[in-house]
Amino acid sequence: MSTPSKTSLLHLYGGLLRASRSFSSYNFRTYFISRTKRVWKEFQSNPSPERVSDFYKANLEELDILRRSAVVNSIYGGRKLVVESNQGVKRLRSDN
Amino acid sequence: MLRRALVNTVRVAQPLAVARVAIPAFRASRPAVPSTFRSYSAAAGLSREEITSRILDTLKSFEKVPAEKLTTSASFSKDLSLDSLDAVEVVMAVEEEFGIEIPDEEADSIQTVQQAIDYIEKTPEAH
């Protein structure tokens, strides 16, 4: 497998963040967002050219897993927590 | 008692009936008046000032962004010294703020605050 380009790595990073964001449970959502950021920042601070394609492949699989889990989680998401109860209404439309 | 009530009803009903018949003719002769009701299905459209302030607020919530360097013309990498991963995170935060999903190709081209504002302005789904 050839080395993935910088653009495709960044697209994968964006896809992972989007998939993490789509969890309906607050705990899963915040955990996967911070986990994705932590793992990628670690890799960025210690880049090794020979590991890039392995990293890319592992994260591609992770993206699939996250997407599937997010769908399942949206079915069994449960109620909103107290900490997120006000998040949806912080800003209303400009004309009301 | 009943008879008086009946008479009253007839007296009132008579002019009313005449008026009802007269209404269509009256309306037709009247000039068009601007409508006073509001159409709730109309698109809301964000103003440029609002987009700018919301994007700047979103960027302020990033720890790495230096507040004194934050202007609309600032470039993510040069002026705000964000790396490529941070730039992706900024685009994600903008997506979340405006409730849209920016395609990867478009997201790549957003490298300055101004480009983000322009993209939101030409995206009708943003709210």
Side-chain angles (χ1 to χ4, degrees), chain A residues 6-7 9-15 17-18 21 29 33 37 40-41 44 90-96, chain B residues 38 42 44-46 50 54 57 64 83-86 88-89 92 95-97 100-102 104-105 108:
Chain A
K6 186 184 171 184
T7 333
L9 276 167
L10 289 178
H11 288 176
L12 177 58
Y13 183 56
L17 286 179
R18 274 200 201 103
R21 200 173 64 191
R29 193 167 61 236
I33 290 174
K37 285 182 182 172
W40 282 70
K41 293 277 151 75
Q44 187 192 33
K90 66 175 178 181
R91 200 189 291 275
L92 297 171
R93 273 164 49 152
S94 61
D95 58 343
N96 64 7
Chain B
R38 183 174 158 187
L46 294 166
E50 199 196 348
R54 279 171 67 179
D57 282 349
K64 282 189 183 175
D83 58 38
S84 51
L85 290 185
D86 294 328
V88 173
E89 285 170 27
M92 291 292 142
E95 277 189 0
E96 208 167 0
E97 170 70 23
I100 51 168
E101 200 156 299
I102 304 173
D104 284 338
E105 293 74 31
D108 290 342

Side-chain angles (χ1 to χ4, degrees), chain A residues 54-67:
Chain A
D54 285 346
F55 181 76
Y56 184 77
K57 216 175 144 197
N59 275 281
L60 264 187
E61 282 170 18
E62 188 129 311
L63 177 60
D64 280 344
I65 296 169
L66 279 179
R67 280 184 178 153

Side-chain angles (χ1 to χ4, degrees), chain A residues 16-91:
Chain A
L16 284 167
L17 286 179
R18 274 200 201 103
S20 311
R21 200 173 64 191
S22 64
F23 277 85
S24 74
S25 301
Y26 175 87
N27 285 331
F28 286 129
R29 193 167 61 236
T30 43
Y31 170 68
F32 284 118
I33 290 174
S34 62
R35 179 178 179 273
T36 307
K37 285 182 182 172
R38 176 170 50 79
V39 169
W40 282 70
K41 293 277 151 75
E42 268 171 26
F43 188 77
Q44 187 192 33
S45 62
N46 181 22
S48 47
E50 66 273 12
R51 270 178 57 221
V52 170
S53 47
D54 285 346
F55 181 76
Y56 184 77
K57 216 175 144 197
N59 275 281
L60 264 187
E61 282 170 18
E62 188 129 311
L63 177 60
D64 280 344
I65 296 169
L66 279 179
R67 280 184 178 153
R68 283 199 299 273
S69 320
V71 171
V72 175
N73 185 237
S74 71
I75 304 172
Y76 303 104
R79 283 190 215 155
K80 284 198 162 195
L81 302 185
V82 180
V83 285
E84 55 178 338
S85 58
N86 284 327
Q87 286 186 346
V89 288
K90 66 175 178 181
R91 200 189 291 275

